[in-house]
Amino acid sequence: MTALTLSTAGAATLRADALVVGVAKGAKGPVVAPGAEAVDKAFDGKLATVLETLGASGAEGEVTKLPAPAGLKVPVVIAVGLGSVLEKDAAFDAEALRRAAGSAARALAGSKKAGFALPVASVEDAEAVAEGALLGAYAFTAYQGGENKLAAKDKNNGNGPKSPLAEVALLGAKPRDKAFKAAAERAVAVAEEINRARDLINTPPNDLYPESFAAVATAAGKEHGIKVQVLDEKALVKGGFGGLLGVGQGSTHGPRLVKLAYTHPKAEKTLALVGKGITYDSGGISLKPAGHNETMKCDMSGAAAVFATVVAAARLGLQVNVTGWLALAENMPSGNATRPGDVLRMYSGKTVEVLNTDAEGRLVLADALTRACEENPDAIVDVATLTGAMVLALGHRTFGIMANDDAFRTSIHEIAEEVGEASWPMPLPADLRKGMDSPTADIANMGERMGGGLVAGLFLKEFVGEGIAWAHLDIAGPAFHEGAPYGYTPKGGTGSAVRTLVKLAERTAAGDLG
């Protein structure tokens, strides 16, 4: 894991493998950002001119490497684009700083130590740079670099993956200031838990299945003082969890419902989080078409986000009770699998006619939502890679927010935007509910095709207790990134929604949500 230090050294005296500075996109070319004054001086005040000569513009995510001149203790200077400057002396957006730091950290893979001299005008800026660098330094290499039997003397034959940047030295912060220290500690805790979620999402489904996921949660609970309860198949049968059992019955890996409870002795509020944890989704009997199966290990991203958030809350010692529910199952086709047309009796007692076994996430979430509501939390949020319809509506970088309370939905949207996670509030039109009427059961698991993401939200709403503020985050778009890395976002699992949920927990602890 990449280490973070608040350096007392200046940009000219820091000893490291590289020094990162910011460059903005000005009206007449690149503009050197605050924090890089000593570096610009070492270039005789011509750093912007040199960068422009090399084709740099200061555009967001742009990375330019330069040999360091005399006067610096580092061999390399990395200038990273921050985007446009709106006006003179304007503060840089936290997300711009976060993305720039992430881009630089990715470019520094294989390095031992790098100094980050990006603009740090406040504690919030320092935290954004730290968080971006730690997230950008992420790499999932657990299954790479194995022994090359054809070249035993060189296991990787020179082609193995580079290790992530080992240490981030943050310049411009105040190492002895309590606020800066706290910001650094928060950045480390949140980034490490996001990266833990990414690891889980990227783990192949032959190694990550309900039982093994539950084991990971149990181990983390022991480490961080979180009470963990795991309901196995026998307990699920005894409890009548028909949704989880129905989805999981086609697999040799049985389903699990995992409860993680972080409590604080002075907490006045309880926040419940429910995560969809389909460790692999084949679609079941309603098999997915060719080309849609390869990334379905990511269908447990919601559960990974919930798990990471509960651990982060414990590490930060937040004065709020946070309970996480991981609804874990593997959706497979077999002679034992649920068939289209089957009727399941859910934990709530409602019956559901299964019209499509690939609409399985809402079934496991329904059971977990009902169980979570029994404990009367002050608010409940579920997180799921639930529908392709939400990707069609909002694209690959934005998640949708639905809720039974407009004010709660607005709060979550504002929080997500504040922490740099793109989101959009979505409605729950009552007229779409009729499409889920079933002649056989209380409700069907499918409704109208158009507005399918909203239909799924309406289905979940049926299983939320009266008087409990509830929100549903459909992270199907941003949870797994298949393109080239950008900013602090890697290829593969992203850890989407963790930052939003952690901030929601902090707001709840502070009493800012009523």
Side-chain angles (χ1 to χ4, degrees):
M1 194 67 70
T2 302
L4 173 69
T5 57
L6 300 183
S7 179
T8 56
T13 59
L14 179 75
R15 294 185 181 276
D17 296 318
L19 183 65
V20 177
V21 297
V23 56
K25 189 176 182 180
K28 298 181 180 180
V31 178
V32 178
E37 292 83 0
V39 177
D40 190 31
K41 183 178 179 181
F43 276 93
D44 296 325
K46 298 179 180 179
L47 177 56
T49 301
V50 173
L51 289 169
E52 187 173 20
T53 301
L54 293 174
S57 67
E60 181 181 307
E62 183 181 75
V63 175
T64 306
K65 293 184 178 182
L66 302 166
L72 299 181
K73 301 295 184 181
V74 297
V76 176
V77 171
I78 292 184
V80 60
L82 290 163
S84 300
V85 176
L86 299 179
E87 57 186 67
K88 186 178 180 180
D89 298 325
F92 287 93
D93 178 77
E95 180 63 5
L97 293 174
R98 198 178 286 116
R99 290 180 179 178
S103 295
R106 286 192 295 104
L108 285 161
S111 301
K112 292 182 179 179
K113 179 180 179 179
F116 281 68
L118 293 173
V120 176
S122 65
V123 171
E124 291 75 19
D125 289 348
E127 184 174 337
V129 172
E131 190 174 78
L134 294 173
L135 292 176
Y138 173 81
F140 184 69
T141 59
Y143 293 81
Q144 297 177 327
E147 183 176 359
N148 185 340
K149 293 182 179 179
L150 298 178
K153 293 183 180 180
D154 182 3
K155 289 187 176 182
N156 293 324
N157 203 24
N159 297 316
K162 290 183 179 180
S163 300
L165 171 63
E167 181 183 347
V168 170
L170 181 60
L171 280 64
K174 300 175 182 178
R176 295 178 180 84
D177 186 289
K178 289 183 179 180
F180 280 93
K181 285 182 179 180
E185 290 171 359
R186 183 186 186 279
V188 169
V190 173
E192 287 184 353
E193 293 314 315
I194 289 173
N195 288 339
R196 186 203 296 261
R198 290 171 169 180
D199 281 348
L200 286 167
I201 297 164
N202 290 327
T203 299
N206 58 316
D207 282 344
L208 188 74
Y209 42 88
E211 186 178 2
S212 61
F213 195 155
V216 170
T218 299
K222 291 179 180 178
E223 180 182 355
H224 297 287
I226 300 167
K227 186 176 180 180
V228 180
Q229 179 185 13
V230 180
L231 299 185
D232 61 13
E233 290 159 282
K234 289 183 179 179
L236 294 173
V237 170
K238 184 177 180 180
F241 291 86
L244 276 157
L245 291 165
V247 173
Q249 70 188 43
S251 173
T252 55
H253 297 297
R256 298 288 188 273
L257 179 61
V258 179
K259 175 187 175 183
L260 302 102
Y262 160 70
T263 58
H264 191 284
K266 296 183 180 180
E268 296 181 355
K269 298 283 187 178
T270 296
L271 177 66
L273 307 174
V274 177
K276 174 187 174 184
I278 303 300
T279 55
Y280 182 76
D281 183 19
S282 70
I285 295 296
S286 305
L287 194 67
K288 291 181 182 292
H292 289 73
N293 285 293
E294 290 77 4
T295 61
M296 281 299 101
K297 64 182 181 180
C298 79
D299 213 18
M300 37 58 68
S301 296
V306 167
F307 169 49
T309 300
V310 177
V311 176
R315 291 180 62 173
L316 295 171
L318 301 185
Q319 195 169 311
V320 59
N321 297 328
V322 183
T323 303
W325 301 86
L326 316 182
L328 309 177
E330 185 176 63
N331 188 25
M332 296 291 285
S334 74
N336 294 324
T338 293
R339 296 151 292 222
D342 282 357
V343 173
L344 304 177
R345 185 170 295 278
M346 311 297 283
Y347 179 71
S348 68
K350 285 181 184 282
T351 55
V352 176
E353 182 181 10
V354 179
L355 299 181
N356 188 321
T357 63
D358 196 24
E360 85 299 328
R362 64 199 70 180
L363 298 175
V364 300
L365 285 173
D367 273 357
L369 280 168
T370 303
R371 178 64 187 88
C373 287
E374 286 182 338
E375 300 191 353
N376 296 311
D378 294 286
I380 186 167
V381 180
D382 75 72
V383 193
T385 48
L386 205 59
T387 65
M390 196 55 56
V391 185
L392 290 173
L394 299 177
H396 290 284
R397 297 192 183 185
T398 305
F399 63 76
I401 308 171
M402 284 154 263
N404 62 359
D405 180 285
D406 289 349
F408 190 43
R409 181 185 63 188
T410 298
S411 293
I412 293 177
H413 179 225
E414 291 174 348
I415 287 170
E417 295 298 308
E418 178 186 335
V419 300
E421 294 199 293
S423 66
W424 197 251
M426 304 292 283
L428 288 172
D431 61 285
L432 291 177
R433 169 61 182 84
K434 186 172 178 57
M436 291 185 283
D437 285 349
S438 166
T440 308
D442 294 322
I443 190 173
N445 77 327
M446 293 289 288
E448 294 183 29
R449 181 186 176 195
M450 300 304 173
L454 312 183
V455 170
L458 285 166
F459 180 91
L460 295 177
K461 185 181 177 183
E462 296 275 326
F463 296 88
V464 177
E466 290 292 330
I468 298 176
W470 158 79
H472 160 56
L473 312 186
D474 190 335
I475 62 170
F480 195 84
H481 180 57
E482 295 185 66
Y486 65 92
Y488 53 81
T489 301
K491 187 179 182 69
T494 65
S496 177
V498 175
R499 283 182 287 153
T500 297
L501 295 177
V502 171
K503 180 62 72 173
L504 174 63
E506 290 174 327
R507 289 280 183 86
T508 304
D512 292 345
L513 292 176

